[in-house]
């Protein structure tokens, strides 16, 4: 699978999620569409969106409720693309949303694998060799659903999702003398793309385990003709570094609004 094919698959999924055409993301023109439910959207998304801004770098597609169509359109056409996703301009969008009972909730950066960097498993082999050369007791294992069904515990909360166990399809674990010390897992969030998450026990961090497992799992997924993707907050420097080291590159960003009630419930968990 080439990088262009990977990018187009991601854009087509974003188009399904946003209720637009995938070429809208590279049109160079901002676009506002009315959000609708879609059974083929990423499983964890709650559609229709109230307000969601997605950009692959050149323009913005805003997927919104009918009541916000005009005001959000004015917002995304008033500022530069990148400024629409950051303060101080983002405060202007918040001023529109808050009187209506909404507010900005999620701000995320998504990365896609660079097939040239992954090089058909060569990067993963190199990263694992670097980790294990000084620690010969380390072993790596590719795991199926039956292998990780007992691992839904807090320390593996990024690699596996308790709320959507049925979507977790494959994982890569690192073991130290039989003890699981790091785990990367992938959830089948849609038919063409699987999301990777990773956890490392505190005492085993900063050894390269996260990137070695993430890269290995990405190769396993690509070999199934599925596109792996990686998501994190753009303030999560450690996670971003892991993505880059693992052979991923930034691809798109999203800002999503929720009701203030939903946000309050999240903050009170």
């Amino acid at each position: 699978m080439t990088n262009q094919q990977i990018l187009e698959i991601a854009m087509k999924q974003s188009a399904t999620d946003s209720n637009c055409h995938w070429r809208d993301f590279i049109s160079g023109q901002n676009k506002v569409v009315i959000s609708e439910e879609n059974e083929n959207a990423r499983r964890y998304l709650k559609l229709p969106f109230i307000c969601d801004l997605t950009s692959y770098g050149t323009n913005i597609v805003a997927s919104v409720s009918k009541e916000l169509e005009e005001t959000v359109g004015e917002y995304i056409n008033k500022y530069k693309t990148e400024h629409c996703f950051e303060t101080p301009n983002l405060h202007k969008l918040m001023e529109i949303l808050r009187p209506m009972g909404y507010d900005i909730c999620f701000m995320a950066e998504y990365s896609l694998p660079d097939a040239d960097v992954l090089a058909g498993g060569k990067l993963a082999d190199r990263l694992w060799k670097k980790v294990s050369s000084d620690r010969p007791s380390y072993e790596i294992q590719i795991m199926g659903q039956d292998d990780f069904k007992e691992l839904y515990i807090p320390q593996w909360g990024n690699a596996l999702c308790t709320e959507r166990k049925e979507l977790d399809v494959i994982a890569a674990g690192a073991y130290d003398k039989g003890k699981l010390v790091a785990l990367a897992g992938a959830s089948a969030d849609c038919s063409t793309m699987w999301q990777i998450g990773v956890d490392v026990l505190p005492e085993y961090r900063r050894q390269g385990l996260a990137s070695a497992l993430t890269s290995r799992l990405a190769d396993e997924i690509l070999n199934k003709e599925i596109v792996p993707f990686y998501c994190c907050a753009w303030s999560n420097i450690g996670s971003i570094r892991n993505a880059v080291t693992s052979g991923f590159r930034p691809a798109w960003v999203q800002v999503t609004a929720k009701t203030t009630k939903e946000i309050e419930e999240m903050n009170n968990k």
Side-chain angles (χ1 to χ4, degrees):
M1 197 179 300
T2 67
N3 285 334
Q4 184 60 36
Q5 289 171 325
I6 289 170
L7 181 60
E8 287 187 10
I9 288 170
M11 287 183 175
K12 288 175 180 178
Q13 184 59 50
S14 289
T16 297
D17 300 339
S18 295
N19 194 34
C20 66
H21 192 279
W22 72 271
R23 290 190 179 277
D24 290 336
F25 296 109
I26 53 174
S27 68
Q29 300 294 320
N30 293 333
K31 185 167 185 177
V32 180
V33 296
I34 304 303
S35 180
E36 294 182 1
E37 293 184 2
N38 192 317
E39 63 181 10
N40 295 316
R42 280 175 282 160
R43 304 292 187 265
Y44 58 87
L45 294 179
K46 293 183 180 180
L47 299 178
F49 288 125
I50 295 165
C51 175
D52 179 89
L53 309 183
T54 298
S55 177
Y56 277 79
T58 59
N59 64 302
I60 299 171
V61 173
S63 186
V64 303
S65 62
K66 183 65 178 178
E67 64 181 333
L68 287 168
E69 182 179 15
E70 183 176 347
T71 52
V72 172
E74 291 174 356
Y75 172 76
I76 63 174
N77 287 311
K78 185 175 182 179
Y79 306 108
K80 290 183 179 180
T81 295
E82 61 272 22
H83 293 170
C84 287
F85 292 84
E86 62 183 18
T87 55
N89 297 151
L90 198 57
H91 286 297
K92 290 297 183 181
L93 180 57
M94 296 176 184
E95 289 174 5
I96 296 169
L97 296 174
R98 285 171 179 162
M100 306 173 74
Y102 312 131
D103 210 341
I104 296 302
C105 183
F106 299 123
M107 302 170 67
E109 178 178 282
Y110 293 81
S111 296
L112 293 171
D114 186 327
D116 297 331
V117 173
L118 285 169
K122 291 182 180 179
L123 174 63
D125 289 343
R126 187 165 67 250
L127 290 173
W128 182 252
K129 183 178 180 180
K130 183 178 179 181
V131 170
S132 60
S133 60
D134 294 330
R135 302 170 183 86
S137 61
Y138 284 3
E139 296 180 351
I140 191 170
Q141 177 183 334
I142 303 300
M143 309 161 74
Q145 289 178 315
D146 287 342
D147 300 311
F148 56 71
K149 62 184 179 181
E150 303 300 328
L151 298 179
Y152 287 90
I153 51 180
Q155 54 260 53
W156 312 124
N158 290 313
L160 302 173
C161 182
T162 303
E163 290 77 18
R164 296 185 295 273
K165 291 182 180 180
E166 72 280 2
L167 298 182
D168 293 331
V169 287
I170 190 172
Y175 291 82
D176 182 13
K177 298 178 181 178
K179 175 185 176 182
L180 181 64
V181 298
L183 183 69
S187 58
D189 290 341
C190 50
S191 61
T192 59
M193 301 179 71
W194 293 358
Q195 182 172 192
I196 293 179
V198 62
D199 292 288
V200 180
L201 296 182
E203 62 270 31
Y204 286 88
R205 291 172 185 168
R206 297 186 179 278
Q207 297 180 20
L209 285 168
S211 55
L213 293 182
T214 302
S215 183
R216 176 62 66 202
L217 192 58
D219 282 317
E220 293 288 332
I221 296 169
L222 283 168
N223 287 339
K224 299 178 183 294
E225 296 298 313
I226 302 291
V227 173
F229 71 102
Y230 189 103
C231 173
C232 65
W234 45 63
S235 58
N236 192 338
I237 300 302
S239 191
I240 292 170
R241 285 175 176 166
N242 177 57
V244 172
T245 304
S246 304
F248 284 74
R249 299 294 180 263
W252 80 96
V253 293
Q254 273 184 268
V255 162
T256 307
K258 293 285 186 181
T259 66
T260 52
K261 181 180 178 181
E262 289 176 292
I263 295 171
E264 183 177 355
E265 289 173 350
M266 292 178 198
N267 284 329
N268 290 331
K269 284 185 178 179

